[in-house]
Amino acid sequence: MLLLRLKEKFARRRKPLKQRLEQRRKLIGLLRHYIPSISILLYFVGVIWLLLLPYNGYNKETYVSENALLPAQVNVYYSQNDVNIANEFRDRILEVVDKSRESRAEFIFKELRQAGFHAAIQHYTTKDESFNEAEGVNAFGIYHAPRSDGTEALLLSAPWVSRTGEYNVNGIASVLSLAKLFKRNTYWSKDIIILITDESVRGMQAWLNAYHGVDFGSNYSSDIMPRSGAIQAAINMDFPGTREYESLAIYFEGANGQLPNLDLINTVITVAKYTAQVPFTLHDNDAINRPQTPVESYLASLKHLTDTIRFQALGHPSSDAGLALRYKIDAITIHGITATGMHQPFDFHRMGILVESTFRSLNNLLEHLHQSFFFYFLTNAERYVSIGMYMPPVILFACCLVLQSLVLWYSPARDDNLKQETGASLAYSTSKKNLGACFSVLVTTHAAGLLIFYIVRPAFDFGGAIVAPNTEQVTIVKLSVSCGIAATAILMAVSLISSKQSEVQVMENWRVLKSLCLALTALIVASISLINFSLGAVMGLIVVIPYSLIQPTAKMPLRLLQAVMLTVLSPVVTLYLVATLSRSHVVNAVTVLLTDYEVVDVWLLAFMCTAYWPVNMALYTVIFA
Amino acid sequence: MMTRKAILIPPLAFILRIVLFNIPTIADTLATRVEVVTPITSFKRLTEGLYLYENSVPPYDNGIFHQAPFLLVLFSALTSLSPLAIPIVYAGVDTFIGYALVVITQMKQKNYANAPKLEVEKEMAPIDPWTVAALYLFNPLTILSCVSKSTLIFTNLSVVLSVALALKGDAIYSMFWVAIASYLSFYPAMLMPALVLIISKWTPSNNSTLVKQARASTFYFVAWLALFLISSRILVGSWDYLYSTYGTILCLTDLTPNVGMFWYFFIEMFDQFRNFFLVVFQLHAFIFVAPLCIKIREHPVFVIIVLSGMMSILKSYPSVGDAALFLGLLPVHDELFKYARYGFLVTNLYLYSAALAPIFWHLWIYAGSGNANFFYAITLVYNLGQVLLLIDLVYAVLRRSYDIANPHTIGKEVVHK
């Protein structure tokens, strides 16, 4: 009863139909008029939001979330005696370091065996820079801890060559002395694997593949590969040369932008701070000169953030440890920055304490690291930005595109039928969109993208016509062939959309096509940001405004300007720009991209060819329709 | 009848499928994707059952195989023929479903030729039947489902055949096919009343009333079903298969994730409530049959479309193959599209769920940084898209009927009360 009466009351207060329709029309007109500017505004809100993240008010202090870890709570046993052992190892490593791979591995194998490890040598084949078959040798040993049931293990690894290009002498010496220490103590509840990898990335990848049974191409010194259980965490030691270090750097980004559980980093940082008492930082940034003013601190945080974004967006693992993440192994690299100044440097003793204490903490784990964050940004080693804070900008970018796409989709080519209406709008609409032409454009460009992907891939050698694959010439040929395919696809798409059609239809077509392209870009940005936030954010940052601005015009210079803009955004030119900025040659950049794809299984190449480039090609059609 | 372009559609669709079958990375990946295959349609599980069956071990003893015994016989024959037989059968069946959709569209257009229409519809030609087939055959969901060798394709075939035969007025064989479909995956039994409506509405030779027709059809349906069940008992030698097939569908004993709503809910469920909610969920799937058959009885083919949409949302083990059938049948009633309001939104929801489902699955299963909530969230998005599409369609059919009945109100404001 009451409800009915209320309804009647409201019904009486409603304005007459004509007035309401007029209002509605006005509102729609307003929306249509302002949405493009609103969406541009959203973009800038997103950009400002991103720039606010390094500011201390928008990030929080990290904390150890997993109670079992208890970092920096144990007595450590790494003593002067172990330092002497490490020093001795250093001298003996210096003797073998210049010898063949085989004898290096043999040395490690013997030492590990002597220390009581179940040791083995792995001979693997992989592909070198020019994608020829290449061989390498890893040496590793497993300590089957007396209290472990062999289902869980911790990995301590070190490459022969450091990221600085020097030999990783101190790193390996420290690892070997730690191996002896680990064997001496009885409290291990997880097996410990010591791994010395040849040729860093390739060696690490080959070993991980073999350990997890992915490839069967390796030979071992023993009949079968010695194995332990699931690796719970890994620390990769990278301490180049034979001198002392002024600070500890942490590299944590994995392939395809994956990150280790934040608790692993927290543990190492806590141990470094309280037990080992060494200065620490992220990447190769300055750890000694702490920022004093807020501006300095903001800039330092921004630097950390952009470093991470760079590694993640390229999908490139920042260190060998990054490869392990794909096997659900949380891993980081600790790197010693060689001492230059007068600050109190550290050597084997504190390195040893650091790793020992960290391993003791990891040994306490009852289950896989899962408590803390997997999605975060570090603005410095002790502060993080959580996903709730950094996700909105990308959502804003996507919203900006979707809103524009909606306006284009619902705006008719001619506005007259809107004006002529006198009564209520019809419940149905008989206007038809020519989706066929637009879809065929998108299908053409995607097919072109797929074709380019197959041609650029290192495995593709033009049907065996080229004997030595992936020389500089081949890369250039591949790049030009890709550009040719892209150009052909664009020409085909333009002819598809503009042939045999009236002016009005072409007008209608470009709106629908642009609407589809923007919606597709929003989809790509939003979904890629969930697996690789940085890639999504970078893509959003560079494409949102240019893609929004594109529309057909009668003026030739404007058309050309738009075409130039799209060309700059096309992958080949972007790659060229990135290569120039990082002072290398475009061929080298392609080689890195291909190596990442072939050896480390990075998706960036596939993403560029099959998702990013096709939309870029399709948008040329909008200009020239 | 067939235009020149239309001639190309079936061979192209067939060849495309055969090509995809021969790319092992695609075919093998699809065969294990949870979005595409479910415990009750997986070909991998079928081969397990088949192996046991061919070695005279009771195939339902392993707790992995949950498919109907007829499929065992069919595939046991196919595998003995040649390794090529299976791809050819799958591609052939899918192409044939496309042809059956052509027949359905033609019959529907013939039946609606003299039906009342809107003014604007009089100068518009109805959709070309072969366009309907092309929309089904080149729908990515259809292709994915076919190449994954999901046995759902046989259910879909039976459903479209039963509709086509019902439109031709053949009660016995229409009931035969719907009984096969129900026998294979249980839920299509809900299509039976709508098929009876089709038969009694458009068969001029049949002067019996709806009640008589319903009685006869129910008899045929039950008789066929009984025949299938008993012959299955003879084939596998015990009644165990009933629990292993229909028991799994009804009691949800296998909680492998899929794109539906059931799995997550019943993983989280406390055991004491499980039975109650099982009944609620299963009833919910069937509860729409009566109201739809009463309210929209003038458009029984449309009722079939809506019910197939309902199945693809509310059945216990849905996959994209169910959505493929629903979306394939949709263009048969193309005159409703002009009333549809959510096209852009629904398309976007489908696209987002298509992109995000594999990503969230990766984060959950491989990267370990996500969890089950991620994947479940995306199945909610997917089903939201389907529900919105259904709402839009039902609105369209009701509004169109209203506009036809009250042409003077077109262009005026109508207040829903």
Side-chain angles (χ1 to χ4, degrees), chain A residues 293-512:
Chain A
T293 64
V295 178
E296 270 178 22
S297 125
Y298 174 84
L299 289 177
S301 298
L302 189 65
K303 172 78 168 53
H304 288 304
L305 213 61
T306 43
D307 281 346
T308 304
I309 288 181
R310 201 183 65 228
F311 281 120
Q312 284 193 305
L314 294 175
H316 190 72
S318 64
S319 67
D320 297 357
L323 303 173
L325 294 176
R326 222 191 5 256
Y327 298 90
K328 260 190 195 175
I329 302 167
D330 295 294
I332 57 170
T333 292
I334 49 177
H335 170 66
I337 298 176
T338 308
T340 48
M342 56 223 91
H343 298 283
Q344 197 187 9
F346 65 93
D347 62 355
F348 283 128
H349 186 235
R350 285 197 272 171
M351 281 158 65
I353 287 176
L354 177 77
V355 177
E356 188 198 352
S357 183
T358 306
F359 265 63
R360 290 285 299 278
S361 284
L362 296 173
N363 187 41
N364 291 340
L365 279 179
L366 297 174
E367 41 189 331
H368 206 273
L369 281 169
H370 68 282
Q371 280 279 353
S372 194
F373 301 95
F374 282 102
F375 301 101
Y376 54 86
F377 271 107
L378 292 178
T379 56
N380 67 45
E382 288 177 289
R383 297 189 75 87
Y384 75 100
V385 185
S386 75
I387 185 163
M389 285 307 289
Y390 71 68
M391 212 59 204
V394 168
I395 303 301
L396 287 176
F397 294 161
C399 279
C400 161
L401 293 167
V402 168
L403 281 178
Q404 296 187 52
S405 158
L406 268 171
V407 169
L408 285 168
W409 182 262
Y410 285 113
S411 68
R414 291 156 294 175
D415 281 332
D416 44 15
N417 66 349
L418 196 75
K419 282 171 196 151
Q420 278 169 7
E421 279 173 29
T422 46
S425 54
L426 297 177
Y428 55 85
S429 94
T430 46
S431 73
K432 276 208 171 141
K433 293 193 162 61
N434 189 4
L435 282 172
C438 302
F439 269 120
S440 49
V441 167
L442 286 175
V443 168
T444 313
T445 55
H446 277 89
L450 210 59
L451 190 65
I452 291 172
F453 175 55
Y454 274 97
I455 286 178
V456 173
R457 280 194 325 170
F460 188 86
D461 57 352
F462 295 97
I466 290 152
V467 188
N470 229 79
T471 54
E472 192 166 319
Q473 287 87 343
V474 175
T475 307
I476 287 169
V477 168
K478 278 181 173 177
L479 278 183
S480 8
V481 169
S482 327
C483 292
I485 291 172
T488 321
I490 292 166
L491 285 179
M492 273 173 69
V494 171
S495 69
L496 269 174
I497 204 162
S498 50
S499 65
K500 285 184 273 170
Q501 274 168 1
S502 64
E503 195 77 358
V504 183
Q505 248 179 334
V506 172
M507 278 298 286
E508 169 80 17
N509 276 350
W510 83 258
R511 283 171 189 278
V512 177

Side-chain angles (χ1 to χ4, degrees), chain A residues 165-233:
Chain A
E166 291 173 84
Y167 286 113
N168 184 18
V169 180
N170 278 354
I172 295 178
S174 185
V175 165
L176 289 176
S177 68
L178 279 162
K180 287 204 159 174
L181 174 83
F182 288 165
K183 179 73 192 176
R184 209 161 64 216
N185 295 325
T186 53
Y187 41 66
W188 297 109
S189 60
K190 292 175 173 50
D191 291 350
I192 288 171
I193 305 175
I194 304 282
L195 166 68
I196 309 294
T197 55
D198 195 357
E199 273 194 305
S200 62
V201 176
R202 288 183 175 78
M204 188 73 167
Q205 185 67 41
W207 187 84
L208 285 167
N209 280 346
Y211 189 85
H212 295 93
V214 180
D215 88 308
F216 303 96
S218 305
N219 290 314
Y220 303 97
S221 55
S222 53
D223 285 343
I224 51 162
M225 183 185 192
R227 277 204 179 82
S228 172
I231 300 171
Q232 302 293 305

Side-chain angles (χ1 to χ4, degrees), chain A residues 20 328 405 424 428-429 527, chain B residues 338-339 344 356 365 369 411 413:
Chain A
R20 264 185 296 136
K328 260 190 195 175
S405 158
Y428 55 85
S429 94
S527 47
Chain B
K338 56 182 162 300
Y339 282 95
F344 189 81
L356 292 181
I365 300 296
S369 46
E413 193 187 35

Side-chain angles (χ1 to χ4, degrees), chain A residues 17 20 258 328 374-375 402 405-406 409-410 423-424 426-430 515 519 522-523 526-527 530-531 603, chain B residues 118 120 338-339 341 344 351-352 355-356 359-360 362-363 365-369 374 395 399 403 410-413:
Chain A
L17 171 69
R20 264 185 296 136
Q258 227 181 318
K328 260 190 195 175
F374 282 102
F375 301 101
V402 168
S405 158
L406 268 171
W409 182 262
Y410 285 113
L426 297 177
Y428 55 85
S429 94
T430 46
S515 167
L523 171 68
S527 47
L530 290 165
I531 23 180
W603 303 325
Chain B
L118 288 177
V120 283
K338 56 182 162 300
Y339 282 95
R341 299 159 298 176
F344 189 81
L351 283 177
Y352 274 84
L356 292 181
I359 288 178
F360 280 157
H362 173 87
L363 286 183
I365 300 296
Y366 298 101
S369 46
F374 283 51
Y395 161 79
R399 184 65 205 247
D403 277 357
I410 294 177
K412 297 209 175 74
E413 193 187 35

Side-chain angles (χ1 to χ4, degrees), chain A residues 15-74:
Chain A
K15 289 175 189 157
L17 171 69
K18 212 162 190 185
Q19 220 173 329
R20 264 185 296 136
L21 285 173
E22 197 52 41
Q23 273 183 348
R24 198 183 298 166
R25 207 159 296 148
K26 261 187 195 162
L27 190 70
I28 291 173
L30 277 178
L31 276 181
R32 196 165 287 165
H33 189 247
Y34 283 110
I35 276 186
S37 11
I38 290 175
S39 57
I40 300 296
L41 187 73
L42 285 182
Y43 170 79
F44 284 105
V45 171
V47 174
I48 291 168
W49 194 314
L50 276 180
L51 288 175
L52 279 180
L53 293 179
Y55 176 62
N56 271 358
Y58 291 87
N59 48 51
K60 295 180 215 143
E61 276 203 14
T62 54
Y63 54 95
V64 175
S65 189
E66 170 68 70
N67 287 326
L69 281 169
L70 298 173
Q73 302 288 315
V74 290

